[in-house]
Amino acid sequence: MVDRANFFFDFGSAEGRKNAYRAIVQARPTHLNNIYLATQRPELLLKRTQLMERWARWEISNFEYLMQLNTLAGRSYNDITQYPVFPWILTDYTSKTLDLSDPSSYRDLSKPIGALNAERLKKFQERYSSFDDPVIPKFHYGSHYSSAGTVLYYLVRVEPFTTLSIQLQGGKFDHADRMFSDIASTWKGVLEDMSDVKELVPELFYLPEALTNVNFIDFGTTQLGGKLDSVQLPPWAENPVDFVYKHRMALESEHVSAHLHEWIDLIFGYKQRGKEAILANNMFFYITYEGTVDIDKITDPAQQRATQDQIAYFGQTPSQLLTVPHLKKKPLADVLHLQTIFRNPGEVRPYVVPNPERCNVPAAAIHASPESVIIVDLNAPAAHVALHKWQPNTPDGQGTPFIFHHGKSVASSSGGALMRMFKGPAASVSEEWQFPQALAFAASGIRSSALVSITCDKEIITGGHADNSIKLISSDGARTIETATGHCAPVTCVALSADSNCLVSGSRDTTVIVWRVHRTSASHSRNISDPMTSSGTPTSSSSGNLANILADNSRRRRIEGPMHVLRGHLSEITCCCVSSDLAIVASCSNSSDVLLHSIGKGRLIRRLVGVEAHALCLSSRGVIMTWNKSKRRVSTFTVNGIQIASAQLSSIPGNISCMEVSVDGEHALIGISSCMDNDGTNNTNNDLESNENEAECIYLGANSKSPNNSLIIPVPSICFLDLHSLKVFQTLKLGEGQDITAMALTKDNTNLLVSTIDKQLIVFTDPALSLKVVDQMLRLGWEGDGLSPLIK
């Protein structure tokens, strides 16, 4: 569905399914304009979507690719009998530390589970060669690598699988000794047990709750008298969150990337059936394969039901997607777009953009796309807007690894005449480079840096207006395209989802509002008149009533809403963030906990009890990073409220003024400035809590002797952190007085743009990246005068 909900329909017969599909196609839904009347075979869909080629170029992760293959092969979270199947990745479940650079830590992905143990494989081969039946074809394995029982085995600790397990076992749990209790012993079982060749489920790569007895269920007692509770983890995993993180790291590692195609050949590819499957010791009981039994041709209802049950519970082999060997993934060194500032942080260098008076800094917000940089200054909401052109990772021939063209100033900008009245008659240099200013009456006392968001279409959304509105502003002339109202008090913070389709705004009225942003062509936005007066939506807490009121008007509006009004905070909202992929809004205020709401229904999902935050951000992997100004602590949590890590600034004055998370959700950047906030207010706080009792706490010291386990971090500076552990792996030092007001990371993680309070715009990048880009251009046969000064 458009709101990312999904449903699974079982029509009972192929004819029913065909009729329903035909009806959907004939209705011509607007969002399904590229489907065909005839359902395409899975292997054709794989070819059309170019998924394999994108994976080979490292454009999608191993996890995402396996999920896509599972979906194409007919496997779904909504069908327990055909659940997504994932491979066992590791063999080391006994060491104290896990070495992901050691190939011996990994399972051989070229062999099915049943062939990993040579001694056991001989028995399977003997069974295959001696089996002789006129009806049933030969097979190696009597059990399957993926079945309803396998799914319930791994997920018994979370609903609805707990209830389904009880139903499967006839009203009670299986014996505790046979249940999932220890990862190491489960791995030992799949290597040695003749009736156990199960692979994994995707949850073991992202859901720590599957390993924890979160619902405090009584699973019974083992023969040794031990109570079955949470899953016992390998020594190298500190807790379930750490296990899932390292397990996912292993899945995305270079070693697995180089061999994953071999496992795909066995499960979805040319070694799934036929001669190649026999050679690979990969033959299963015939009824598990697609197309071997035609249910509709069985006339006896009892026999038909028995066959269906046998297929459902025995396990099913996915649809075959490939009949030729799968592509290999490119070596990591050859993949240009993965050479980011996080991969080689020691080589990152600062480059100050010349003529800072033409840059419109200090900035409240920066947006960097591959062809332009938009900078909104600190006067938000009545802010100046500058649109600069640039080419990142392209040497300019004079030692700078990017080309930067300053935007043109507009002398007759909105409010320009008024500003000249107060400045006096003499036109200064900065006056000539006065950028267009958005027209606004600012509400007093609102922090400006959180009031601005910039969309993918290079339009600016601002809050902080005295009329309690949010405004959509064009970047090319700072014209107000649209105004929307929903709050009863001025907006204190705004945030956009990564795809720019979802906007959230927090206010002094203690509410958070979810809006839908409709993207449009540039020509359309130019035709919309200004509308300080035209487009305010009536304030209401009922989204149902608003839907009726705005039924006609909302189709023409760019900002539609309020879609939901989210309550639960007790004071002014200080920060909010939103993710369309996770369908979550996170928000915080000075006097209440961090709250998580759903985008779809606007319901409160979770309250992070006791977590006070003054700023937060949300990663694409569902990690929430919070900054507590009074306790001077950075913390990370899962979306289910489990704390992952905590780090503390030392007692020397210093404040986090900016936080940014990389697109892949693995790294974070924090800008540490002196105790002055962006709006000039002093943030010194002498009432600091010590955190000596927390062994995992990392101290981020600042310019003085700190405890032995601390790191000396200068102020001002930018720290590169691993988002899982909050360990600092690189620090970029700035000059004295260069407090950071805004940061922007390019989508490919190759350039970091930083605005400082002393009106500098600094670009941090690895100069080697631009040379690699030029080298690739030359290898592709690209020619041009622009490259001639670079080729020595």
Side-chain angles (χ1 to χ4, degrees):
M1 299 294 167
V2 175
D3 66 356
R4 304 189 184 214
N6 61 84
F7 301 90
F8 185 82
F9 294 97
D10 178 6
F11 293 100
S13 70
E15 192 57 38
R17 183 193 62 200
K18 229 176 264 178
N19 292 338
Y21 184 76
R22 197 175 291 121
I24 291 170
V25 173
Q26 287 170 355
R28 298 189 182 280
T30 39
H31 295 278
L32 283 183
N33 53 10
N34 59 346
I35 59 168
Y36 299 88
L37 190 60
T39 310
Q40 290 198 314
R41 295 287 305 158
E43 62 271 20
L44 294 175
L45 282 170
L46 178 64
K47 208 171 184 179
R48 260 191 65 217
T49 51
Q50 294 282 298
L51 272 172
M52 179 165 46
E53 291 75 12
R54 286 180 59 210
W55 171 79
R57 295 193 298 264
W58 292 75
E59 288 174 21
I60 55 177
S61 67
N62 292 343
F63 181 89
E64 188 182 347
Y65 185 52
L66 288 174
M67 281 305 304
Q68 298 274 21
L69 291 179
N70 271 289
T71 304
L72 284 175
R75 302 182 88 78
S76 162
Y77 281 131
N78 295 326
D79 181 3
I80 196 171
T81 66
Q82 292 199 85
Y83 208 73
V85 56
F86 268 62
W88 280 94
I89 294 293
L90 297 167
T91 58
D92 181 3
Y93 297 100
T94 54
S95 302
K96 285 191 176 177
T97 54
L98 178 64
D99 185 1
L100 291 178
S101 60
D102 182 1
S104 66
S105 299
Y106 297 94
R107 164 251 178 116
D108 185 350
L109 287 163
S110 66
K111 296 176 182 176
I113 282 287
L116 292 177
N117 180 341
E119 287 180 29
R120 185 177 63 160
L121 177 61
K122 278 181 189 171
K123 295 175 185 172
F124 286 133
Q125 287 171 331
E126 284 167 14
R127 174 198 284 173
Y128 180 86
S129 53
S130 61
F131 188 82
D132 188 19
D133 189 281
V135 179
I136 300 170
K138 291 185 175 189
F139 60 91
H140 291 107
Y141 315 111
S143 57
H144 203 260
Y145 52 77
S146 175
S147 65
T150 301
V151 177
L152 296 177
Y153 173 83
Y154 287 120
L155 302 180
V156 68
R157 286 167 177 80
V158 287
E159 289 289 8
F161 305 100
T162 308
T163 303
L164 289 170
S165 296
I166 294 168
Q167 289 173 359
L168 186 73
Q169 295 293 331
K172 61 183 189 308
F173 286 115
D174 195 4
H175 195 282
D177 287 289
R178 285 199 294 265
M179 293 175 75
F180 186 32
S181 61
D182 178 7
I183 290 172
S185 58
T186 299
W187 170 244
K188 191 182 176 190
V190 301
L191 281 185
E192 296 174 0
D193 193 333
M194 286 298 288
S195 61
D196 188 358
V197 291
K198 57 177 170 284
E199 293 279 11
L200 296 180
V201 289
E203 280 82 354
L204 292 181
F205 296 92
Y206 67 81
L207 190 71
E209 285 76 11
L211 302 167
T212 315
N213 188 6
V214 283
N215 296 318
F216 306 105
I217 297 159
D218 182 3
F219 291 111
T221 310
T222 64
Q223 285 180 334
L224 296 173
K227 204 117 174 89
L228 184 61
D229 194 38
S230 296
V231 177
Q232 199 171 324
L233 302 172
W236 47 257
E238 293 172 27
N239 50 50
V241 174
D242 190 49
F243 172 83
V244 163
Y245 171 74
K246 286 172 180 169
H247 205 203
R248 181 74 168 264
M249 288 253 297
L251 177 64
E252 302 298 343
S253 66
E254 280 190 66
H255 179 87
V256 171
S257 296
H259 297 278
L260 190 60
H261 65 279
E262 298 168 351
W263 184 83
I264 293 168
D265 283 335
L266 294 167
I267 308 299
F268 303 101
Y270 80 110
K271 291 183 180 178
Q272 186 199 86
R273 51 175 77 194
K275 199 180 289 181
E276 292 291 344
I278 298 166
L279 292 171
N281 302 302
N282 195 36
M283 288 301 293
F284 292 85
F285 194 63
Y286 80 103
I287 208 165
T288 67
Y289 292 96
E290 184 183 29
T292 51
V293 178
D294 190 342
I295 296 290
D296 294 333
K297 285 187 178 172
I298 301 174
T299 51
D300 180 3
Q303 192 185 346
Q304 189 183 53
R305 184 70 194 152
T307 309
Q308 283 176 324
D309 287 346
Q310 191 178 0
I311 292 169
Y313 292 108
F314 191 88
Q316 295 172 64
T317 303
S319 296
Q320 191 170 14
L321 301 177
L322 286 164
T323 52
V324 292
H326 192 284
L327 274 180
K328 286 183 181 176
K329 207 167 191 178
K330 275 186 177 182
L332 192 60
D334 296 349
V335 185
L336 194 66
H337 66 87
L338 289 185
Q339 315 305 316
T340 68
I341 59 173
F342 298 111
R343 188 165 291 281
N344 206 7
E347 299 303 314
V348 172
R349 300 285 176 267
Y351 296 89
V352 179
V353 175
N355 304 317
E357 74 280 354
R358 301 181 181 185
C359 291
N360 196 35
V361 284
I366 306 172
H367 175 79
S369 69
E371 67 285 329
S372 62
V373 175
I374 298 165
I375 298 177
V376 181
D377 77 355
L378 268 181
N379 298 318
H384 290 95
V385 178
L387 175 60
H388 307 289
K389 299 289 180 192
W390 85 319
Q391 285 175 272
N393 306 324
T394 308
D396 66 348
Q398 275 129 50
T400 306
F402 56 86
I403 297 170
F404 195 97
H405 296 293
H406 292 88
K408 292 177 182 174
S409 66
V410 178
S412 59
S413 62
S414 307
L418 188 69
M419 295 187 80
R420 277 196 293 277
M421 273 171 57
F422 289 102
K423 283 189 176 178
S428 64
V429 177
S430 61
E431 180 71 18
E432 290 170 19
W433 282 88
Q434 193 69 60
F435 287 100
Q437 185 181 24
L439 214 63
F441 295 100
S444 61
I446 290 180
R447 189 167 62 97
S448 57
S449 60
L451 293 174
V452 186
S453 276
I454 304 169
T455 71
C456 298
D457 292 330
K458 300 175 191 157
E459 291 165 338
I460 296 114
I461 293 171
T462 60
H465 305 281
D467 62 355
N468 309 338
S469 67
I470 48 175
K471 295 185 190 298
L472 185 70
I473 295 162
S474 68
S475 57
D476 53 0
R479 290 170 297 101
T480 304
I481 298 169
E482 191 170 286
T483 302
T485 310
H487 289 286
C488 311
V491 171
T492 52
C493 55
V494 292
L496 269 168
S497 59
D499 57 9
S500 290
N501 290 334
C502 190
L503 168 73
V504 290
S505 58
S507 166
R508 275 184 177 162
D509 67 9
T510 75
T511 65
V512 177
I513 287 182
V514 180
W515 310 81
R516 186 173 290 147
V517 180
H518 297 286
R519 301 178 67 179
T520 188
S521 64
S523 59
H524 176 64
S525 60
R526 277 198 290 271
N527 294 333
I528 299 174
S529 61
D530 175 10
M532 289 288 288
T533 55
S534 68
S535 43
T537 52
T539 304
S540 167
S541 61
S542 166
S543 40
N545 293 340
L546 281 165
N548 297 329
I549 295 166
L550 299 173
D552 298 323
N553 195 30
S554 64
R555 289 192 187 91
R556 298 190 297 273
R557 292 178 55 75
R558 298 290 309 283
I559 301 176
E560 180 190 350
M563 307 308 293
H564 301 291
V565 179
L566 314 177
R567 294 180 173 81
H569 289 291
L570 304 175
S571 62
E572 173 184 313
I573 310 298
T574 53
C575 191
C576 54
C577 50
V578 57
S579 167
S580 294
D581 288 334
L582 300 169
I584 280 175
V585 176
S587 55
C588 61
S589 66
N590 286 332
S591 61
S592 50
D593 305 327
V594 173
L595 300 183
L596 304 181
H597 286 85
S598 68
I599 291 176
K601 296 186 177 174
R603 289 179 180 164
L604 178 68
I605 300 172
R606 195 163 298 276
R607 178 186 292 273
L608 303 189
V609 180
V611 180
E612 188 186 330
H614 300 94
L616 48 80
C617 48
L618 194 56
S619 88
S620 56
R621 289 200 182 174
V623 174
I624 302 154
M625 183 163 74
T626 65
W627 161 240
N628 185 317
K629 198 158 56 176
S630 53
K631 294 178 181 175
R632 310 177 62 70
R633 186 181 296 160
V634 184
S635 303
T636 49
F637 302 86
T638 68
V639 288
N640 286 325
I642 302 168
Q643 183 167 336
I644 303 169
S646 178
Q648 191 154 344
L649 257 68
S650 72
S651 56
I652 301 301
N655 181 36
I656 292 179
S657 54
C658 296
M659 298 197 302
E660 190 90 15
V661 175
S662 61
V663 177
D664 58 14
E666 288 182 22
H667 307 103
L669 294 164
I670 58 171
I672 299 178
S673 301
S674 67
C675 55
M676 302 296 280
D677 272 339
N678 292 346
D679 54 5
T681 57
N682 200 308
N683 183 39
T684 307
N685 190 321
N686 297 319
D687 181 25
L688 300 173
E689 286 193 2
S690 68
N691 202 26
E692 293 167 354
N693 295 331
E694 290 188 29
E696 75 277 12
C697 183
I698 309 146
Y699 284 76
L700 305 176
N703 279 342
S704 80
K705 290 182 182 177
S706 325
N708 294 332
N709 59 343
S710 71
L711 289 163
I712 306 298
I713 301 219
V715 176
S717 63
I718 297 161
C719 295
F720 288 49
L721 291 95
D722 176 87
L723 196 57
H724 176 72
S725 63
L726 287 182
K727 285 181 180 168
V728 176
F729 61 89
Q730 182 65 25
T731 304
L732 305 176
K733 189 178 184 299
L734 280 80
E736 194 176 337
Q738 289 194 312
D739 282 357
I740 300 150
T741 66
M743 296 192 303
L745 191 61
T746 52
K747 204 171 181 181
D748 59 3
N749 293 340
T750 59
N751 288 258
L752 173 67
L753 287 82
V754 176
S755 157
T756 59
I757 201 77
D758 65 345
K759 299 188 177 180
Q760 296 289 329
L761 181 63
I762 306 168
V763 180
F764 289 92
T765 187
D766 178 356
L769 291 172
S770 61
L771 296 174
K772 285 176 182 172
V773 171
V774 170
D775 183 53
Q776 190 183 52
M777 284 176 163
L778 292 170
R779 272 191 284 163
L780 293 171
W782 195 90
E783 292 178 11
D785 297 335
L787 287 179
S788 52
L790 308 172
I791 304 164
K792 298 281 195 272

